[in-house]
Tab-separated table of all heavy atoms in Angstrom:
chain	number	residue	atom	x	y	z
A	1	GLU	N	19.159	19.942	-2.015
A	1	GLU	CA	18.574	20.929	-1.126
A	1	GLU	C	17.981	20.284	0.108
A	1	GLU	O	17.218	19.344	0.039
A	1	GLU	CB	17.477	21.711	-1.848
A	1	GLU	CG	17.997	22.598	-2.949
A	1	GLU	CD	16.900	23.428	-3.557
A	1	GLU	OE1	15.728	23.239	-3.194
A	1	GLU	OE2	17.214	24.285	-4.398
A	2	ARG	N	18.278	20.845	1.243
A	2	ARG	CA	17.757	20.328	2.493
A	2	ARG	C	16.249	20.497	2.581
A	2	ARG	O	15.548	19.665	3.123
A	2	ARG	CB	18.407	21.079	3.649
A	2	ARG	CG	18.657	20.265	4.867
A	2	ARG	CD	19.253	21.119	5.924
A	2	ARG	NE	20.513	20.596	6.331
A	2	ARG	CZ	21.171	21.030	7.394
A	2	ARG	NH1	20.703	22.019	8.093
A	2	ARG	NH2	22.313	20.488	7.728
A	3	THR	N	15.740	21.584	2.080
A	3	THR	CA	14.305	21.871	2.183
A	3	THR	C	13.570	21.456	0.932
A	3	THR	O	12.469	21.924	0.657
A	3	THR	CB	14.081	23.374	2.437
A	3	THR	OG1	14.703	24.093	1.376
A	3	THR	CG2	14.678	23.790	3.758
A	4	PHE	N	14.146	20.621	0.196
A	4	PHE	CA	13.581	20.136	-1.052
A	4	PHE	C	12.215	19.505	-0.783
A	4	PHE	O	12.095	18.559	-0.027
A	4	PHE	CB	14.534	19.106	-1.628
A	4	PHE	CG	14.127	18.534	-2.942
A	4	PHE	CD1	13.493	19.299	-3.890
A	4	PHE	CD2	14.408	17.227	-3.231
A	4	PHE	CE1	13.142	18.766	-5.109
A	4	PHE	CE2	14.063	16.676	-4.452
A	4	PHE	CZ	13.427	17.443	-5.389
A	5	ARG	N	11.167	20.066	-1.385
A	5	ARG	CA	9.804	19.566	-1.185
A	5	ARG	C	9.535	18.409	-2.134
A	5	ARG	O	8.996	18.588	-3.222
A	5	ARG	CB	8.802	20.684	-1.410
A	5	ARG	CG	8.917	21.803	-0.398
A	5	ARG	CD	7.865	22.867	-0.615
A	5	ARG	NE	7.963	23.929	0.371
A	5	ARG	CZ	7.345	23.904	1.529
A	5	ARG	NH1	6.597	22.888	1.855
A	5	ARG	NH2	7.473	24.896	2.370
A	6	THR	N	9.874	17.243	-1.682
A	6	THR	CA	9.759	16.058	-2.513
A	6	THR	C	8.468	15.315	-2.234
A	6	THR	O	8.168	15.033	-1.081
A	6	THR	CB	10.932	15.112	-2.220
A	6	THR	OG1	12.147	15.819	-2.358
A	6	THR	CG2	10.928	13.929	-3.170
A	7	SER	N	7.709	15.012	-3.265
A	7	SER	CA	6.533	14.180	-3.072
A	7	SER	C	6.795	12.742	-3.496
A	7	SER	O	6.137	11.822	-3.011
A	7	SER	CB	5.331	14.739	-3.837
A	7	SER	OG	5.621	14.793	-5.227
A	8	ALA	N	7.761	12.562	-4.407
A	8	ALA	CA	8.106	11.203	-4.827
A	8	ALA	C	9.475	11.206	-5.482
A	8	ALA	O	9.927	12.227	-6.009
A	8	ALA	CB	7.076	10.659	-5.805
A	9	MET	N	10.120	10.062	-5.429
A	9	MET	CA	11.384	9.871	-6.147
A	9	MET	C	11.369	8.496	-6.789
A	9	MET	O	10.677	7.587	-6.306
A	9	MET	CB	12.585	10.004	-5.213
A	9	MET	CG	12.783	11.408	-4.684
A	9	MET	SD	14.301	11.626	-3.701
A	9	MET	CE	15.561	11.594	-4.980
A	10	GLY	N	12.120	8.370	-7.854
A	10	GLY	CA	12.114	7.093	-8.557
A	10	GLY	C	13.400	6.827	-9.297
A	10	GLY	O	14.286	7.683	-9.354
A	11	TRP	N	13.478	5.610	-9.842
A	11	TRP	CA	14.613	5.197	-10.655
A	11	TRP	C	14.105	4.722	-12.018
A	11	TRP	O	13.091	4.011	-12.115
A	11	TRP	CB	15.368	4.046	-9.981
A	11	TRP	CG	16.096	4.409	-8.740
A	11	TRP	CD1	15.631	4.323	-7.455
A	11	TRP	CD2	17.425	4.943	-8.648
A	11	TRP	NE1	16.594	4.752	-6.571
A	11	TRP	CE2	17.701	5.136	-7.274
A	11	TRP	CE3	18.412	5.269	-9.577
A	11	TRP	CZ2	18.938	5.636	-6.827
A	11	TRP	CZ3	19.625	5.756	-9.129
A	11	TRP	CH2	19.877	5.940	-7.764
A	12	PHE	N	14.853	5.111	-13.050
A	12	PHE	CA	14.551	4.705	-14.418
A	12	PHE	C	15.834	4.224	-15.080
A	12	PHE	O	16.939	4.518	-14.611
A	12	PHE	CB	13.992	5.892	-15.221
A	12	PHE	CG	12.593	6.287	-14.856
A	12	PHE	CD1	12.322	6.961	-13.677
A	12	PHE	CD2	11.542	5.986	-15.703
A	12	PHE	CE1	11.028	7.324	-13.341
A	12	PHE	CE2	10.248	6.359	-15.384
A	12	PHE	CZ	9.993	7.027	-14.202
A	13	ARG	N	15.696	3.514	-16.192
A	13	ARG	CA	16.860	3.110	-16.988
A	13	ARG	C	16.445	3.098	-18.448
A	13	ARG	O	15.264	2.975	-18.762
A	13	ARG	CB	17.367	1.742	-16.545
A	13	ARG	CG	16.420	0.596	-16.835
A	13	ARG	CD	16.958	-0.699	-16.263
A	13	ARG	NE	16.143	-1.842	-16.672
A	13	ARG	CZ	16.319	-3.084	-16.261
A	13	ARG	NH1	17.314	-3.375	-15.400
A	13	ARG	NH2	15.549	-4.057	-16.689
A	14	PRO	N	17.383	3.211	-19.362
A	14	PRO	CA	17.045	3.223	-20.788
A	14	PRO	C	16.437	1.889	-21.213
A	14	PRO	O	16.730	0.845	-20.627
A	14	PRO	CB	18.388	3.450	-21.480
A	14	PRO	CG	19.254	4.054	-20.433
A	14	PRO	CD	18.815	3.460	-19.137
A	15	ALA	N	15.612	1.937	-22.229
A	15	ALA	CA	14.987	0.731	-22.758
A	15	ALA	C	14.780	0.890	-24.260
A	15	ALA	O	14.604	2.009	-24.743
A	15	ALA	CB	13.641	0.479	-22.080
A	16	PRO	N	14.803	-0.198	-25.008
A	16	PRO	CA	14.573	-0.112	-26.462
A	16	PRO	C	13.231	0.527	-26.769
A	16	PRO	O	12.216	0.184	-26.166
A	16	PRO	CB	14.604	-1.587	-26.887
A	16	PRO	CG	15.360	-2.295	-25.828
A	16	PRO	CD	15.067	-1.564	-24.545
A	17	GLY	N	13.224	1.453	-27.688
A	17	GLY	CA	11.969	2.059	-28.111
A	17	GLY	C	11.494	3.221	-27.269
A	17	GLY	O	10.506	3.860	-27.613
A	18	LYS	N	12.147	3.486	-26.181
A	18	LYS	CA	11.777	4.639	-25.359
A	18	LYS	C	13.021	5.179	-24.690
A	18	LYS	O	14.039	4.500	-24.616
A	18	LYS	CB	10.713	4.271	-24.326
A	18	LYS	CG	11.010	3.073	-23.486
A	18	LYS	CD	9.867	2.835	-22.489
A	18	LYS	CE	9.429	1.408	-22.489
A	18	LYS	NZ	8.402	1.124	-21.476
A	19	GLU	N	12.880	6.396	-24.203
A	19	GLU	CA	14.069	6.999	-23.619
A	19	GLU	C	14.445	6.292	-22.326
A	19	GLU	O	15.594	5.918	-22.125
A	19	GLU	CB	13.827	8.488	-23.357
A	19	GLU	CG	15.093	9.213	-22.919
A	19	GLU	CD	14.912	10.712	-22.883
A	19	GLU	OE1	13.935	11.213	-23.454
A	19	GLU	OE2	15.763	11.373	-22.291
A	20	ARG	N	13.476	6.123	-21.450
A	20	ARG	CA	13.745	5.441	-20.179
A	20	ARG	C	12.545	4.591	-19.778
A	20	ARG	O	11.404	4.956	-20.059
A	20	ARG	CB	14.010	6.459	-19.075
A	20	ARG	CG	15.225	7.340	-19.305
A	20	ARG	CD	15.439	8.268	-18.129
A	20	ARG	NE	16.536	9.192	-18.358
A	20	ARG	CZ	16.375	10.483	-18.599
A	20	ARG	NH1	15.166	10.986	-18.639
A	20	ARG	NH2	17.413	11.262	-18.790
A	21	GLU	N	12.828	3.502	-19.090
A	21	GLU	CA	11.751	2.680	-18.561
A	21	GLU	C	11.767	2.762	-17.038
A	21	GLU	O	12.812	2.936	-16.412
A	21	GLU	CB	11.891	1.216	-18.997
A	21	GLU	CG	13.071	0.486	-18.402
A	21	GLU	CD	13.070	-0.999	-18.738
A	21	GLU	OE1	12.115	-1.477	-19.390
A	21	GLU	OE2	14.025	-1.677	-18.346
A	22	PHE	N	10.595	2.605	-16.475
A	22	PHE	CA	10.421	2.688	-15.037
A	22	PHE	C	11.028	1.474	-14.348
A	22	PHE	O	10.886	0.344	-14.816
A	22	PHE	CB	8.927	2.773	-14.733
A	22	PHE	CG	8.585	2.693	-13.280
A	22	PHE	CD1	8.799	3.769	-12.442
A	22	PHE	CD2	8.053	1.531	-12.746
A	22	PHE	CE1	8.484	3.699	-11.104
A	22	PHE	CE2	7.731	1.445	-11.410
A	22	PHE	CZ	7.942	2.536	-10.585
A	23	VAL	N	11.700	1.722	-13.217
A	23	VAL	CA	12.261	0.642	-12.417
A	23	VAL	C	11.532	0.558	-11.075
A	23	VAL	O	10.971	-0.473	-10.721
A	23	VAL	CB	13.769	0.841	-12.183
A	23	VAL	CG1	14.322	-0.237	-11.258
A	23	VAL	CG2	14.524	0.851	-13.511
A	24	ALA	N	11.549	1.648	-10.335
A	24	ALA	CA	10.923	1.658	-9.008
A	24	ALA	C	10.711	3.100	-8.576
A	24	ALA	O	11.384	4.008	-9.076
A	24	ALA	CB	11.796	0.942	-7.984
A	25	ALA	N	9.782	3.309	-7.642
A	25	ALA	CA	9.508	4.645	-7.136
A	25	ALA	C	8.988	4.569	-5.709
A	25	ALA	O	8.539	3.523	-5.249
A	25	ALA	CB	8.502	5.364	-8.024
A	26	MET	N	9.053	5.711	-5.058
A	26	MET	CA	8.598	5.802	-3.673
A	26	MET	C	7.927	7.143	-3.430
A	26	MET	O	8.457	8.180	-3.830
A	26	MET	CB	9.789	5.652	-2.719
A	26	MET	CG	9.442	5.851	-1.258
A	26	MET	SD	10.879	5.684	-0.184
A	26	MET	CE	11.140	3.901	-0.231
A	27	ARG	N	6.760	7.117	-2.831
A	27	ARG	CA	6.155	8.350	-2.328
A	27	ARG	C	6.954	8.756	-1.095
A	27	ARG	O	7.084	7.979	-0.151
A	27	ARG	CB	4.704	8.128	-1.971
A	27	ARG	CG	3.774	8.096	-3.157
A	27	ARG	CD	2.375	7.881	-2.666
A	27	ARG	NE	1.395	7.977	-3.715
A	27	ARG	CZ	0.283	7.274	-3.741
A	27	ARG	NH1	0.021	6.415	-2.770
A	27	ARG	NH2	-0.585	7.432	-4.706
A	28	TRP	N	7.438	9.968	-1.098
A	28	TRP	CA	8.461	10.337	-0.135
A	28	TRP	C	7.957	10.381	1.307
A	28	TRP	O	8.637	9.951	2.227
A	28	TRP	CB	9.046	11.700	-0.514
A	28	TRP	CG	10.362	11.980	0.128
A	28	TRP	CD1	10.622	12.906	1.082
A	28	TRP	CD2	11.602	11.304	-0.127
A	28	TRP	NE1	11.956	12.859	1.430
A	28	TRP	CE2	12.577	11.890	0.705
A	28	TRP	CE3	11.981	10.264	-0.971
A	28	TRP	CZ2	13.908	11.478	0.707
A	28	TRP	CZ3	13.304	9.844	-0.958
A	28	TRP	CH2	14.239	10.433	-0.134
A	29	SER	N	6.771	10.931	1.530
A	29	SER	CA	6.308	11.154	2.902
A	29	SER	C	6.047	9.843	3.637
A	29	SER	O	6.549	9.647	4.756
A	29	SER	CB	5.062	12.022	2.908
A	29	SER	OG	4.039	11.394	2.165
A	30	GLU	N	5.281	8.931	3.034
A	30	GLU	CA	4.928	7.706	3.752
A	30	GLU	C	5.793	6.514	3.393
A	30	GLU	O	5.720	5.479	4.047
A	30	GLU	CB	3.453	7.346	3.541
A	30	GLU	CG	3.147	6.764	2.168
A	30	GLU	CD	2.654	7.777	1.181
A	30	GLU	OE1	3.023	8.964	1.308
A	30	GLU	OE2	1.910	7.387	0.265
A	31	GLY	N	6.579	6.647	2.337
A	31	GLY	CA	7.491	5.562	1.999
A	31	GLY	C	6.882	4.407	1.235
A	31	GLY	O	7.510	3.349	1.125
A	32	SER	N	5.686	4.585	0.699
A	32	SER	CA	5.089	3.502	-0.089
A	32	SER	C	5.855	3.342	-1.399
A	32	SER	O	6.355	4.317	-1.955
A	32	SER	CB	3.616	3.800	-0.369
A	32	SER	OG	3.473	5.002	-1.083
A	33	THR	N	5.960	2.109	-1.877
A	33	THR	CA	6.811	1.823	-3.028
A	33	THR	C	6.036	1.203	-4.181
A	33	THR	O	4.986	0.562	-3.991
A	33	THR	CB	7.950	0.875	-2.633
A	33	THR	OG1	7.396	-0.333	-2.100
A	33	THR	CG2	8.850	1.520	-1.593
A	34	GLN	N	6.587	1.394	-5.369
A	34	GLN	CA	6.046	0.782	-6.581
A	34	GLN	C	7.224	0.208	-7.371
A	34	GLN	O	8.306	0.799	-7.398
A	34	GLN	CB	5.322	1.813	-7.450
A	34	GLN	CG	4.175	2.511	-6.750
A	34	GLN	CD	3.026	1.579	-6.463
A	34	GLN	OE1	2.799	0.613	-7.199
A	34	GLN	NE2	2.305	1.848	-5.387
A	35	TYR	N	7.006	-0.922	-8.027
A	35	TYR	CA	8.045	-1.556	-8.821
A	35	TYR	C	7.498	-1.975	-10.183
A	35	TYR	O	6.321	-2.330	-10.315
A	35	TYR	CB	8.584	-2.816	-8.130
A	35	TYR	CG	9.341	-2.546	-6.853
A	35	TYR	CD1	8.681	-2.546	-5.620
A	35	TYR	CD2	10.708	-2.297	-6.867
A	35	TYR	CE1	9.368	-2.299	-4.442
A	35	TYR	CE2	11.406	-2.053	-5.697
A	35	TYR	CZ	10.729	-2.059	-4.492
A	35	TYR	OH	11.420	-1.812	-3.330
A	36	GLU	N	8.376	-1.958	-11.170
A	36	GLU	CA	8.059	-2.591	-12.432
A	36	GLU	C	7.901	-4.087	-12.144
A	36	GLU	O	8.754	-4.684	-11.489
A	36	GLU	CB	9.195	-2.350	-13.437
A	36	GLU	CG	9.104	-3.176	-14.695
A	36	GLU	CD	7.835	-2.895	-15.474
A	36	GLU	OE1	7.406	-1.738	-15.498
A	36	GLU	OE2	7.305	-3.846	-16.062
A	37	ASN	N	6.830	-4.668	-12.607
A	37	ASN	CA	6.510	-6.046	-12.225
A	37	ASN	C	7.641	-7.027	-12.526
A	37	ASN	O	7.945	-7.914	-11.730
A	37	ASN	CB	5.238	-6.493	-12.935
A	37	ASN	CG	3.991	-5.984	-12.250
A	37	ASN	OD1	4.022	-5.669	-11.062
A	37	ASN	ND2	2.907	-5.901	-12.992
A	38	ALA	N	8.248	-6.864	-13.688
A	38	ALA	CA	9.275	-7.816	-14.104
A	38	ALA	C	10.539	-7.730	-13.248
A	38	ALA	O	11.348	-8.657	-13.228
A	38	ALA	CB	9.631	-7.578	-15.568
A	39	LEU	N	10.687	-6.629	-12.508
A	39	LEU	CA	11.892	-6.423	-11.723
A	39	LEU	C	11.661	-6.651	-10.230
A	39	LEU	O	12.618	-6.665	-9.448
A	39	LEU	CB	12.417	-5.002	-11.937
A	39	LEU	CG	12.671	-4.592	-13.382
A	39	LEU	CD1	13.143	-3.152	-13.439
A	39	LEU	CD2	13.677	-5.520	-14.038
């Protein structure tokens, strides 16, 4: 959607013991980023 009101987007991948583990994310408006430390 062009008018999609996004506050953040991220990437995940499967991991043992849980459905998905966090990889990276971004707050959409200002572009600040977060990463899983090991990655």
Side-chain angles (χ1 to χ4, degrees):
E1 292 185 355
R2 215 182 238 191
T3 57
F4 182 36
R5 295 183 179 271
T6 307
S7 60
M9 292 186 73
W11 291 93
F12 287 74
R13 67 185 187 184
K18 51 179 132 176
E19 188 170 345
R20 298 183 184 107
E21 68 173 357
F22 173 75
V23 176
M26 175 181 287
R27 282 180 174 147
W28 198 249
S29 59
E30 75 264 28
S32 60
T33 58
Q34 301 292 330
Y35 293 92
E36 169 61 36
N37 280 337
L39 305 178

